[in-house]
Amino acid sequence: MTDQSHKEKMQERQTEQRKKVAELQDPEMGLVLVHTGAGKGKSSSAIGVVVRALGWKQRVGVVQFIKGKWKTGERLFFDRLGGVDWHTMGEGFTWDTQDKERDIAAAQAAFAKAREMMESGAYDLVVLDEINIAMRYEYLSVEQVIEGLEARDKQTGVILTGRDAKPELCAYADLVTEMTEVKHPFKAGIKAQKGIDF
């Protein structure tokens, strides 16, 4: 392919892309994103969107449903930086508490806080970290979560993370990304690393 034909082909693609973009609509409302799947990166991807929102001086909130007192690099960073209303409300992994009623109560309290944030109109983005796990273990119902999403302020976007997202939630969402595990160091006997895993 000559430089000229390459240039013409790229100009054609540029024209097509501009036409597609011109036809798109702005929903003038916050979107619902689901990050799910067995691979790593669901919460990390959500944190990337948090950084992007902060870059635009948007107001951001995070509610963590499972992680409990576990220290994470992202929480330490945002505690120093500020700008994110962060609520870690889980009791830890279910095998830590071994008390289903306690886990249900913690998830319900976390979702009450999440609803308050989503409905307030004060946030451009709310991340519900590991909420899919809370639904998987039936600490929250998918109907309850969708009802909360429906009640959110129209400007508020929401990201829901965690494995095993319910099909109804995926159908409701505007964007669903499934992380696929190809290889994981844990299976090679390597423990979680600060700055990479947490």
Side-chain angles (χ1 to χ4, degrees):
M1 182 182 292
T2 67
D3 285 344
Q4 183 59 30
S5 62
H6 176 74
K7 183 177 180 180
E8 287 168 4
K9 189 169 188 157
M10 291 302 107
Q11 285 174 338
E12 248 179 65
R13 286 190 181 168
Q14 184 182 53
T15 301
E16 287 172 22
Q17 182 64 19
R18 285 182 177 160
K19 184 179 176 198
K20 285 179 186 175
V21 169
E23 292 169 357
L24 296 175
Q25 298 175 8
D26 184 348
E28 296 182 8
M29 63 181 291
L31 301 179
V32 174
L33 289 68
V34 174
H35 297 178
T36 193
K40 287 189 61 56
K42 297 174 287 290
S43 296
S44 300
S45 179
I47 295 305
V49 178
V50 166
V51 170
R52 183 174 287 158
L54 291 174
W56 288 105
K57 298 185 175 164
Q58 293 181 349
R59 182 93 188 271
V60 179
V62 175
V63 179
Q64 289 185 305
F65 282 77
I66 300 296
K67 289 183 172 117
K69 293 177 176 69
W70 185 24
K71 277 189 183 175
T72 63
E74 58 269 25
R75 175 68 192 264
L76 295 169
F77 175 76
F78 287 116
D79 282 350
R80 283 194 304 268
L81 178 70
V84 176
D85 293 337
W86 200 292
H87 303 276
T88 302
M89 301 184 71
E91 294 276 354
F93 295 104
T94 52
W95 53 81
D96 290 334
T97 65
Q98 299 181 21
D99 183 340
K100 186 171 183 174
E101 293 309 310
R102 189 170 144 191
D103 290 335
I104 289 170
Q108 292 291 333
F111 193 62
K113 172 52 85 177
R115 280 201 69 155
E116 177 188 315
M117 294 169 78
M118 291 188 297
E119 292 173 26
S120 71
Y123 297 91
D124 298 289
L125 177 66
V126 176
V127 175
L128 307 180
D129 189 39
E130 302 291 1
I131 192 172
N132 294 334
I133 302 297
M135 284 186 278
R136 179 175 82 186
Y137 287 116
E138 299 179 351
Y139 303 159
L140 299 168
S141 72
V142 68
E143 295 81 12
Q144 175 184 13
V145 171
I146 290 173
E147 181 183 298
L149 293 169
E150 280 285 307
R152 77 190 189 281
D153 185 87
K154 75 174 207 159
Q155 76 164 5
T156 303
V158 182
I159 304 176
L160 303 94
T161 73
R163 291 174 181 239
D164 301 319
K166 297 286 186 184
E168 301 92 327
L169 178 65
C170 292
Y172 178 84
D174 298 294
L175 180 143
V176 178
T177 300
E178 185 169 349
M179 309 293 183
T180 303
E181 181 181 309
V182 176
K183 188 176 184 180
H184 197 297
F186 183 79
K187 291 180 179 169
I190 300 169
K191 69 180 184 176
Q193 304 289 302
K194 279 183 187 177
I196 297 292
D197 296 300
F198 62 92

